[in-house]
Amino acid sequence: MAGVAVSAGTPVAIGTRSLWLLPAAVLLVGAGVLAEYLRWRYTRFRCTAERLETEFRFAVHTRKSLPRERIRTVDLTANPLHRAFGVAALSVGTGQQERLTLSPLARADAEALRAELLHRLPEPSTSDGPLATLDPRWIRYAPISFVAPTLGLTAFGALFKVADWFGAGGGLLTWLLDLFGDLPLTTSILLLLAVAMVIGVAGALGVFAEMWWHYRLDREPGGTLRVRRGLLTTRSITLEERRLRGVELVEPLGARLAGAARVDAIATGMRQEDDDKTEAKTLLPAAPRETALDVAARVLGERVEAAGLVPHPPAACGRRLRWALLTALVPLLVLVVLGLLLTDVLLVVAGGVAVVALPVAVLLALDAYRGLGHGRHGRYLITRAGTVRRGTAVLARDGVIGWTVKQSVFQRRRGLATFTATTAAGAGAYAILDADTGEGLEFAAAAVPGVLTPFLETSAPAEASRT
């Protein structure tokens, strides 16, 4: 609470020089401390053979209870303040909206409770060591994500926001441009963007180190996978393997060009409402692709190859080209219209946009088509799609509970359809985009027998009726 008061009050105090901020900060910190003391003093919890229960009894009486058989995840988090006092926050969830948080607990007690809640199956570990540990060289993949430019532009935006508090926003911009002397305005702006990129790269490296330092993936006794990571704030995420329905190999464009990929879990009971949901399901951060494939094989218990996937018809390529060109042409046409109405400068900008955007759109569309594919491998079905974010989902066939077949007017004319495998795990649905209609129906019926078969027409009755 002291940190909140200082960080929020300092810029206001500098700008307004108001003396009332000091007693307001003292009151805020005191109220926060009192509220936390009361929460700690009057909160009790217990773990029985059937349930985990918490109770708060002060002015009001609140009681929460979770059946232990419905518990899917138990996560431990310790920020720097927690670590200084040897405590941690333990969060227990069922994968739905039900969640209990015990904060703080002694670190040893939190670890013991985590083990008691999840290690329900007395199975020995099938691994002689960790499934994966951090290689510091993986940090080189951090700057080639969208995080770097985002952090750089955010830093500049925050700088101008602080300057604006003191009425110096315009002066700051003038001062920055004056640093480059008599260089043209366009060159100065490009140099400022380069500085922002350098700041963004440094920020991306720092974010990766904070999130993934000390990373370790283990298979524990009792049938659980545990991911531990974090530099200042440590995190521990535990997942029951019997809830695992597969993995997804995620290859963002920058990482894919560098030969890297990350591995996400497809599992029931994963949190979907958290801002940290992407990292909560990540089993391996961006790493060399071969390493990612090896970790995925260790998690699944077998290596699933995606080399022999069924390619999609050329009509799927045409659809991607048309959508990509339409996406590029709409802003281009807007610039042209505004240029004709307002100023010729916009026409020059439109020409530059056309030279860059149209070839990039075509290349991305062709890459997206090359990335399409689906297939089967043992007890898994595989689907792959995407270009900016290419995902290869390896989904257990017995985890598919239904198929959704969609066919737009334009798809119908070209003999294409989208087949979506529905599951209770992960994102809930994994699509096979723009597949051949006949081949896709046969694949879906064979991949998960009995689900789609009752809705398919066979050729024998049709031939008999024609006879």
Side-chain angles (χ1 to χ4, degrees), residues 4 30 55 76 86 126 145 157 197 211 224-225 241 282 309 322 326 347 362 374 382 389 400 424 458:
V4 171
E55 182 183 65
L76 267 65
T126 58
S145 67
M197 282 299 301
M211 292 182 60
T224 58
L225 294 173
E241 287 193 89
T282 299
L309 297 184
R322 284 187 290 273
L326 180 63
L347 295 177
V362 171
H374 63 276
I382 308 170
R389 179 197 181 276
V400 177
T458 59

Side-chain angles (χ1 to χ4, degrees), residues 329-351 353:
L329 286 174
V330 168
L332 182 60
L333 292 176
V334 171
L335 287 173
V336 170
V337 172
L338 292 177
L340 294 174
L341 296 176
L342 301 177
T343 173
D344 293 341
V345 175
L346 293 178
L347 295 177
V348 177
V349 174
V353 170

Side-chain angles (χ1 to χ4, degrees), residues 241-402:
E241 287 193 89
R242 66 192 182 102
R243 304 293 174 184
L244 192 69
R245 297 294 180 267
V247 298
E248 184 177 14
L249 195 72
V250 181
E251 301 171 272
L253 182 59
R256 180 155 52 91
L257 293 176
R262 78 168 190 263
V263 179
D264 288 352
I266 300 176
T268 59
M270 296 296 291
R271 290 179 292 176
Q272 297 296 327
E273 73 279 3
D274 281 7
D275 294 335
D276 195 40
K277 62 184 180 181
T278 298
E279 288 74 28
K281 66 183 180 181
T282 299
L283 300 178
L284 179 77
R289 195 172 189 276
E290 284 302 317
T291 302
L293 291 173
D294 183 59
V295 170
R298 293 185 182 186
V299 170
L300 296 176
E302 61 179 286
R303 192 175 184 91
V304 179
E305 298 291 346
L309 297 184
V310 177
H312 290 203
C317 180
R319 280 176 56 82
R320 272 140 191 80
L321 285 171
R322 284 187 290 273
W323 278 109
L325 291 175
L326 180 63
T327 303
L329 286 174
V330 168
L332 182 60
L333 292 176
V334 171
L335 287 173
V336 170
V337 172
L338 292 177
L340 294 174
L341 296 176
L342 301 177
T343 173
D344 293 341
V345 175
L346 293 178
L347 295 177
V348 177
V349 174
V353 170
V355 170
V356 175
L358 293 179
V360 169
V362 171
L363 290 175
L364 290 177
L366 294 175
D367 181 68
Y369 172 68
R370 285 193 296 267
L372 291 177
H374 63 276
R376 284 184 294 165
H377 188 284
R379 64 188 189 94
Y380 294 99
L381 67 84
I382 308 170
T383 175
R384 185 179 65 197
T387 178
V388 176
R389 179 197 181 276
R390 177 167 296 174
T392 304
V394 182
L395 183 63
R397 293 158 60 187
D398 57 9
V400 177
I401 58 178

